[in-house]
Amino acid sequence: MSKDKLFKDLEQRFREGKMDRRDFLQATGKVAIASLGLTIAASLQGGFVDAAPKFSAYPFTLGVASGDPWQDSVVLWTRLAPD
């Protein structure tokens, strides 16, 4: 069964109210397995990830933000925004 046909059948059953909990769990399981399969297939193709990129300018141009401080800790985050 093709992916498009599977999704169309599931959508039609959902709209008609013929989908019960078991059908829903089976459908989400199929989507999860398909997603995992695509992720594994993409990772097997290989690719280059530069773990230490070189920036031509200072990449932290947005500064540092803080949110929800507690008595004993604080969350800090920043965002790289190179030109």
Side-chain angles (χ1 to χ4, degrees):
M1 179 180 287
S2 72
K3 179 180 67 168
D4 292 335
K5 184 173 180 350
L6 173 70
F7 287 127
K8 286 179 183 178
D9 289 344
L10 290 172
E11 181 182 6
Q12 181 180 3
R13 289 173 59 195
F14 180 73
R15 289 182 188 268
E16 293 173 354
K18 295 180 180 176
M19 181 178 282
D20 59 2
R21 185 177 7 176
R22 179 178 290 171
D23 293 333
F24 175 76
L25 290 174
Q26 286 177 347
T28 55
K30 290 176 184 177
V31 170
I33 289 173
S35 298
L36 178 63
L38 291 173
T39 302
I40 291 172
S43 68
L44 292 177
Q45 291 178 349
F48 180 73
V49 176
D50 189 3
K54 306 292 186 235
F55 296 104
S56 61
Y58 186 69
F60 298 98
T61 56
L62 299 177
V64 177
S66 170
D68 198 18
W70 294 1
Q71 293 177 358
D72 60 344
S73 65
V74 66
V75 176
L76 297 175
W77 66 88
T78 187
R79 180 177 165 202
L80 289 175
D83 290 334

